[in-house]
Amino acid sequence: MADNKLQHFVPQFYFRRFSEDGKLIRGYNLKSKKHFIGPFDKQSAKNYFYSDVVEIEKSFSPIERRFNNVLSKLCEEGSLSNLTNEEYFEMLRFIAFQHQRTEHAKLLSDDFVEKFVENAIKPLMKSNKKLMSKVSEESIDNLEITHPGAFLMGVVYSLESNILLTDLVPVLLLNETENEFLFSDNPVIF
């Protein structure tokens, strides 16, 4: 099995914070409507989710490590006010990055490409008289155009998008109740 074949869209360090033993996590599968306890290293991950170029996921490790340090500080101190400017911007960078790297974001990216092709590219092709003299309208209608890199471009752009979040006011939620805190495989909320 290739290293980094199973690629995570929610980092394992995030799950570890919700694990009682550092290996297992309680979960709920929405499709099967069943609770489970299982290894978190298999959660929010798919084989070759980003690409079959496994170095892509490996390149996320330094980003995750930096944010994990900031998250540790937040958990220890329970306050955003103690973050340095560098730590604050690292937190914003990770929020943008995490928001863009989920399965939900990938589905939105694929949907955008599909709609762009249907509503812009194909009509443009059909308006080209030279092209239409060589192909039928039906062949253009049946044409499938994808952009497998669109999702990854969004992930890369998200790493430089932290400045776009500076007008938002972050809120740190501290759970001081007996109820467990829940999160999903799409853990960023704006």
Side-chain angles (χ1 to χ4, degrees):
M1 181 169 143
D3 288 343
N4 291 73
K5 174 183 172 184
L6 185 65
Q7 299 173 353
H8 296 83
F9 45 91
V10 176
Q12 293 181 64
F13 74 78
Y14 196 79
F15 281 95
R16 192 170 286 112
R17 295 188 177 278
F18 295 92
S19 173
E20 294 174 11
D21 66 356
K23 294 179 184 169
L24 301 175
I25 191 155
R26 295 179 200 183
Y28 182 76
N29 186 304
L30 290 174
K31 288 181 184 173
S32 68
K33 298 183 187 309
K34 294 189 179 196
H35 292 271
F36 66 91
I37 296 176
F40 63 76
D41 64 345
K42 306 282 190 240
Q43 306 306 314
S44 298
K46 290 189 172 187
N47 287 340
Y48 303 116
F49 178 72
Y50 300 106
S51 170
D52 59 357
V53 179
V54 296
E55 287 75 17
I56 291 174
E57 192 194 34
K58 287 181 183 179
S59 70
F60 297 161
S61 292
I63 299 160
E64 291 175 351
R65 231 181 341 272
R66 286 193 306 269
F67 179 69
N68 192 24
N69 292 336
V70 173
L71 186 58
S72 293
K73 184 174 180 177
L74 284 171
C75 289
E76 287 170 19
E77 299 181 8
S79 173
L80 291 164
S81 62
N82 297 332
L83 295 180
T84 66
N85 284 343
E86 183 179 319
E87 290 167 332
Y88 182 77
F89 281 106
E90 193 60 44
M91 178 187 69
L92 294 181
R93 176 176 287 113
F94 190 79
I95 289 169
F97 174 63
Q98 182 56 55
H99 182 262
Q100 189 59 41
R101 72 187 281 201
T102 63
E103 188 173 26
H104 178 71
K106 189 173 191 176
L107 291 171
L108 288 176
S109 176
D110 291 346
D111 186 56
F112 173 80
V113 170
E114 182 182 322
K115 286 179 178 163
F116 183 71
V117 166
E118 291 302 318
N119 296 306
I121 302 297
K122 287 183 179 181
L124 188 62
M125 292 171 77
K126 290 177 183 178
S127 71
N128 184 315
K129 290 181 180 166
K130 189 174 179 180
L131 176 64
M132 293 310 294
S133 70
K134 297 177 183 176
V135 298
S136 70
E137 190 170 318
E138 183 182 3
S139 65
I140 290 175
D141 287 338
N142 294 331
L143 187 63
E144 188 174 316
I145 301 173
T146 61
H147 187 327
F151 168 65
L152 281 177
M153 286 174 30
V155 172
V156 170
Y157 293 148
S158 74
L159 292 171
E160 299 300 323
S161 299
N162 55 335
I163 195 71
L164 300 174
L165 301 180
T166 56
D167 66 323
L168 301 177
V169 179
V171 176
L172 182 64
L173 299 175
L174 301 174
N175 184 3
E176 297 177 350
T177 72
E178 295 295 318
N179 299 322
E180 294 182 16
F181 187 82
L182 304 174
F183 70 96
S184 75
D185 58 359
N186 192 16
V188 175
I189 300 170
F190 287 123

